[in-house]
Amino acid sequence: MVNNQSFINRDHKVLWHPCSQMKDHESFPIIPIKQGHGVWLEDFDGKRYLDAISSWWVNLFGHANPIINAALKDQLDKLEHVIFAGFSHQAGIELAEQLVAITPKGLSKCFYADNGSAAVEVALKMSFHYWRNSGQTQKTQFITLENSYHGETLGALAVGNVALYKETYAPLLMDVISVPGPDCYFREDGESWQDYSERRFALMEQALQHHAGSVCAVIIEPLVQCAGNMRMYDAIYLKLLRAACDKYGVHLIADEIAVGFGRTGTLFACEQAAISPDFLCLSKGLTGGYLPLSAVMTTDNIYQAFYDDYHKLTAFLHSHSYTGNALACRAALTTIGIFQQQAVIKNNKHLANTMAKAAQRFNEHPHIAEVRQTGMILALEMVKNKHTKQPYPWQERRGVKVYQYALSLGVLLRPLGNVIYFMPPYIITEEQLFHIADVALQAINFAVQD
Ligand SMILES: *Cc1c(COP(=O)(O)O)cnc(C)c1O
């Protein structure tokens, strides 16, 4: 018989899932999804789940989106993939043209990879290699922020700073310079985001002053540290950082893998500080949540440092088998087309306002220390004591209780520790946003009992 249980039995025999303690699934089975439609996912028992986290922040315009589906069907009959060294294709060229046009000015070259971590690896290697090609071989280090996340491969993990993912592998990772960040959860009572972010920048300035000679780049997640519990900060920090990187001769890598494509209220988060990074990493929403693809946008100046006769050995030889996959490029091109045709950024302003209204009920909740929002990301910090911000012991796994209870009510909310967040696809309705908040409130009230 085809139902959830039959798939669960087969799944548990052969599969090892990401970001999971598989033993948890003895008591809480994995959910086999039969089909998706818009914001909804449906399992093999016919139960539906509202995807309030865009399937790990990738889905922008719904599951089985008819526009993207049609484009992919067309692409499939033309070209699925071709080696991207020595060869090119229409979707890859057009996507690069679009990305150059819509990303902050000065980013005129596009290098493809096939997932977010790989894009971070590319940016790190390119920055290092640029300085090397320029005769500055003493530049070998990177500056990163506390609580940052840039992916799971060893280089990306090294420049990230979330202990849960990093600590186990510490002996394998390159040393980085880790600077206390602008995370506004820790601002003083009455202090504005801007004042706090500006004040915290002094620590970055010190690090740059001290280490610039040996540093290739500073890598940051603009405005929201997503995997680091959806912690947020003010755009002033990015402005100051851009100026300081110029002053000290250090690259700025903006990892917009999670926040790019409209998540923060603008198409790219860097726009809110009116800055251009030297490297911009994109993935997740890039293909509308359809296919793995990433891009590193960079400047002509950086590109030129690699451009020379072959025997000088200055070329950037990094590659992936699936670099610039044609289907993925076509999905991305179509996704960007939707932004242009449907006034998405403008409509998202209404949705973000509605999300704020729907979440007002949490302001006075005795176990929510903060309700924070940047554009289409809204996060609730669930704590033991609202006034002291004392967290729940992590072993109590209250966030998991929220997750499981919300699922039973048909909403997919997968918290980060004890931070519950809404990061829905942009096709969500106002009514559905209120529904998510209703369910989140019930789930939180369940999770904070005793
Ligand atoms: C998800 C994420 C990555 C890693 O992307 P993957 O495709 O999961 O490897 C890197 N940086 C940020 C900010 C992310 O959110």
Side-chain angles (χ1 to χ4, degrees), residues 302-376:
I302 285 165
Y303 176 80
Q304 289 302 335
F306 294 79
Y307 195 91
D308 210 335
D309 295 324
Y310 189 84
H311 71 268
K312 304 240 180 95
L313 297 177
T314 56
F316 191 65
L317 299 182
H318 185 106
S319 64
H320 297 285
S321 312
Y322 283 98
T323 293
N325 175 261
L327 284 166
C329 286
R330 186 67 185 274
L333 193 57
T334 311
T335 298
I336 291 171
I338 295 175
F339 273 99
Q340 288 160 351
Q341 285 145 24
Q342 301 187 4
V344 173
I345 297 296
K346 188 162 151 265
N347 295 340
N348 280 1
K349 291 212 162 67
H350 293 291
L351 288 175
N353 286 338
T354 304
M355 200 148 73
K357 274 192 210 120
Q360 262 168 12
R361 70 192 77 186
F362 297 103
N363 283 322
E364 303 308 320
H365 193 284
H367 291 285
I368 300 295
E370 184 176 68
V371 180
R372 54 179 173 269
Q373 183 178 14
T374 300
M376 289 297 286

Side-chain angles (χ1 to χ4, degrees), residues 57 115-118 120 149-152 221 226-227 255 257-258 283-284:
W57 326 339
N115 66 76
S117 303
V120 169
Y149 179 87
H150 298 290
E152 301 287 341
E221 297 156 90
C226 291
D255 176 353
I257 289 166
S283 190
K284 291 208 166 96

Side-chain angles (χ1 to χ4, degrees), residues 58-59 62-66 68-69 72 284 287-292 331 335:
V58 299
N59 191 290
H63 297 278
N65 179 288
I68 304 174
N69 283 8
L72 282 178
K284 291 208 166 96
T287 63
Y290 264 69
L291 286 159
T335 298

Side-chain angles (χ1 to χ4, degrees), residues 232-243:
M232 300 173 183
Y233 61 93
D234 190 86
I236 187 73
Y237 195 89
L238 300 174
K239 253 198 184 63
L240 295 169
L241 181 58
R242 175 69 275 182

Side-chain angles (χ1 to χ4, degrees), residues 105-168:
K105 69 172 186 316
L107 299 170
S108 54
K109 293 286 180 206
C110 170
F111 187 97
Y112 291 125
D114 55 14
N115 66 76
S117 303
V120 169
E121 302 283 346
V122 165
L124 297 174
K125 286 174 70 178
M126 259 187 196
S127 174
F128 164 80
H129 200 160
Y130 167 91
W131 294 115
R132 185 185 160 89
N133 283 351
S134 312
Q136 301 223 39
T137 50
Q138 81 291 352
K139 280 183 175 284
T140 59
Q141 289 190 290
F142 293 93
I143 294 181
T144 182
L145 291 180
E146 279 180 1
N147 192 48
S148 58
Y149 179 87
H150 298 290
E152 301 287 341
T153 56
L154 294 177
L157 199 57
V159 292
N161 228 286
V162 178
L164 179 65
Y165 308 122
K166 181 168 185 175
E167 248 168 37
T168 308

